[in-house]
Amino acid sequence: MAQADNNNAAASATSFETARVGCGPRFDSAMTPLVEPLSPGLYIVATPIGNLADLSPRAADILSRADAVAVEDTRVTAGLLRHIGVKRPMIPYHDHNAEGMRPGLIARMATEAVALVSDAGTPLISDPGYKLVRDARAAGHAVVTIPGPCAAIAALTLAALPTDRFLFLGFLPSKQHARAEAIAEVAAVRATLVLYESGPRLSACLSALAEGLGDREAAVAREITKKFEEAVTGRLSTLAARYADAPPKGEIVVVVAPPEPPAPASADDGDAALVEALTRLPAAKAAGEVARALGLDRKALYARALELKGER
Ligand code: SAM
């Protein structure tokens, strides 16, 4: 199947990788393929975010058997393919050519296995791919995922912050006003926040987060899975000061703690709310409403509601 690629319109793109050393199906003496061909469709393949040993055996297998690999940067993926000792046809697919390349890729999936990789990590996560998946599904092609490294998830495992609910923000806008607006939008969200940032912008971003969210606990995870991997934790303002004069090198994920839960309501809060609720509702309903709103004990509120109404 791979041999047919050269006739395809998408394959004629100027930067199409035509080298074929070591690729294509291999056969035994009875001409039985030694390796099962992959079924046609789209294969979303996660690749390492630094340490090449993190490429899963399944990801390597899919990449070595795909008829073509859609890539962000042919030089980056060529290095990865070299690492696993295969050469596959590569088709550039990135933010600047995606609209033009997508129809050709979708057409190929009818008869070929097309793998999608990004430069690092999981495709579609702050990387191209979602429209390719959408159109592949709409065309009735199989879509298969080969999960693996993702900087956001890896950073969550290092940050020592709650992971039961998290919100991934990707890259915040770089302009100050737009960034402040984006931060304000999520200030009340009861979840750990995860975002990607660059070294030069890190300190300003941390200051903006402190201003918009309050001085929460946070972590800066840097160069994950690489030689200089580190995770520095502290309050947002402390981290902003730390990086103000020395912007860190390398790739960065910022993780921010959720907002503190509100202070528990007091009996006085309960009384005030109950008095108001009793002007509209019977005692049982008023107690139920206030209990739900303030997290107070419903039975105690009911007893107090009867007292307030002079029924006890
Ligand atoms: N799709 C990728 C993923 O699954 O993580 C993310 C791609 S996004 C264009 C690249 C950003 O991810 C970097 O700017 C950085 O914020 C973060 N990142 C990627 N690799 C990283 C690493 N090894 N350590 C820390 N952050 C990393």
Side-chain angles (χ1 to χ4, degrees), residues 47-51 72 118-128 148-153 155 168 171 195-198 221-226 250-254:
T47 61
I49 55 170
N51 189 326
E72 270 194 285
S118 55
D119 284 352
T122 300
L124 281 82
I125 307 300
S126 284
D127 269 335
C150 173
I153 300 296
F168 176 61
F171 290 93
L195 52 120
Y196 291 158
E197 193 45 281
S198 72
R222 197 172 69 83
E223 292 291 85
I224 303 168
T225 77
K226 302 183 198 175
E251 299 193 279
I252 292 158
V253 183
V254 177

Side-chain angles (χ1 to χ4, degrees), residues 183-195:
I183 292 170
E185 259 176 40
V186 298
V189 174
R190 307 217 146 270
T192 292
L193 305 175
V194 185
L195 52 120

